[in-house]
Amino acid sequence: MEVIILNNSVEVGETAASLIASTIHRNPRAVLGLATGSSPSETYLALARMVEAGTLNLSKVAGFALDEYVGIPADHPASYAAVIQQEVVIPLGMTASQVQVPNGRAQNLAKAAAEYERQIVAAGGVDVQILGIGRNGHIGFNEPTSSFASRTRVKTLSEETRRDNARFFDRPDDVPMHCLTQGLGTILDAGRLILVATGASKAAATAAAVEGAVSSFVPASALQLHAHATVIVDEAAASLLALSDYYRYTYANKPS
Ligand code: F6R
């Protein structure tokens, strides 16, 4: 796993965006896996600056969101369908039909999950998956003890995750109990994984994921099993990494 330690969240976003942009420059029809939440915001803002400057065009790109809450309307401002529209589709000059979000309103959620997996395969698979990390080590909404072989399915959100995401809702009790999320197996099928983490609240989860044992107890440790995973963090999120000097040294001396 490559670990890149930078000064702040803006640099983290710019570096993640430049990796994503180089994939799109190589392949204008690239398929992006899209995280939501606070972590990727600076990445999407940096991509939007490139689009505005005319150096990046996402008109042929396809996108698949990682997850969606179950049971809230698509136009609820905290629904990931709405967040993707506001933070990705509009600022990146895409059309809504280019980006898919799991259907958390489906009558038959198992069928919607299977259909989502089928759509990802039909698109040729995800080329670059953007990930955030939860304080408990989740990626997507794969909470601790999620199987590394899991596919898109319904999960129950942990109390910690519901508390953490209460900031997006009027009342803590409004945070849905369930979600549809790509599985760890789905995520590991992507060609490249880019995990962004910023702030001291992510330090313990980042250290466990990067340097701890590979364990379903820390779902993000699944990245250790991927051949092309990059973790981009700010100083605060890197603060508990035992090998931080080594990561800085290898990044500074990276072969061109
Ligand atoms: C959301 C997602 C989650 C978040 C994680 C961190 O699509 O995949 O794994 O990335 O909960 O959330 P923030 O970035 O809001 O701290």
Side-chain angles (χ1 to χ4, degrees):
M1 193 185 307
E2 181 183 27
V3 181
I4 302 174
I5 302 174
L6 301 166
N7 292 317
N8 53 53
S9 60
V10 175
E11 288 183 17
V12 168
E14 283 172 348
T15 302
S18 75
L19 296 178
I20 295 161
S22 57
T23 298
I24 298 170
H25 287 141
R26 273 196 307 276
N27 174 16
R29 296 184 180 277
V31 178
L32 303 183
L34 302 162
T36 44
S38 306
S39 306
S41 295
E42 289 293 347
T43 304
Y44 298 143
L45 288 172
L47 288 170
R49 288 194 290 274
M50 295 178 194
V51 170
E52 204 175 337
T55 57
L56 183 65
N57 182 332
L58 285 93
S59 61
K60 295 193 172 70
V61 162
F64 287 90
L66 273 174
D67 39 23
E68 176 61 291
Y69 294 110
V70 165
I72 59 173
D75 60 358
H76 188 295
S79 86
Y80 286 163
V83 172
I84 288 284
Q85 181 71 15
Q86 290 305 320
E87 295 196 2
V88 178
V89 172
I90 294 172
L92 301 190
M94 301 170 84
T95 59
S97 63
Q98 285 177 260
V99 181
Q100 311 306 315
V101 181
N103 183 1
R105 298 159 308 284
Q107 287 290 326
N108 185 335
L109 291 167
K111 203 170 152 196
E115 170 62 12
Y116 201 63
E117 288 279 330
R118 198 198 56 74
Q119 285 180 294
I120 294 173
V121 171
V126 171
D127 294 301
V128 187
Q129 175 66 58
I130 306 156
L131 297 163
I133 185 171
R135 286 190 305 126
N136 63 5
H138 71 225
I139 49 174
F141 275 141
N142 294 282
E143 300 284 32
T145 72
S146 290
S147 163
F148 282 17
S150 53
R151 313 302 306 189
T152 303
R153 71 215 182 286
V154 178
K155 283 293 284 182
T156 302
L157 295 170
S158 70
E159 286 185 35
E160 186 179 22
T161 299
R162 291 185 69 230
R163 264 199 310 275
D164 284 349
N165 287 6
R167 68 191 191 279
F168 299 117
F169 291 82
D170 289 339
R171 288 178 299 270
D173 282 352
D174 291 351
V175 184
M177 191 67 77
H178 299 108
C179 64
L180 266 184
T181 181
Q182 288 189 31
L184 293 175
T186 320
I187 292 168
L188 288 172
D189 281 350
R192 174 165 205 182
L193 304 181
I194 298 176
L195 186 147
V196 289
T198 56
S201 67
K202 300 297 174 71
T206 301
V210 173
E211 295 177 338
V214 174
S215 162
S216 67
F217 198 67
V218 182
S221 67
L223 268 70
Q224 295 181 36
L225 301 174
H226 197 280
H228 204 181
T230 302
V231 173
I232 311 178
V233 288
D234 67 358
E235 293 286 351
S239 59
L240 296 176
L241 289 169
L243 297 183
S244 56
D245 287 346
Y246 172 69
Y247 306 136
R248 287 192 187 89
Y249 169 85
T250 46
Y251 186 55
N253 294 291
K254 195 173 168 171
S256 46

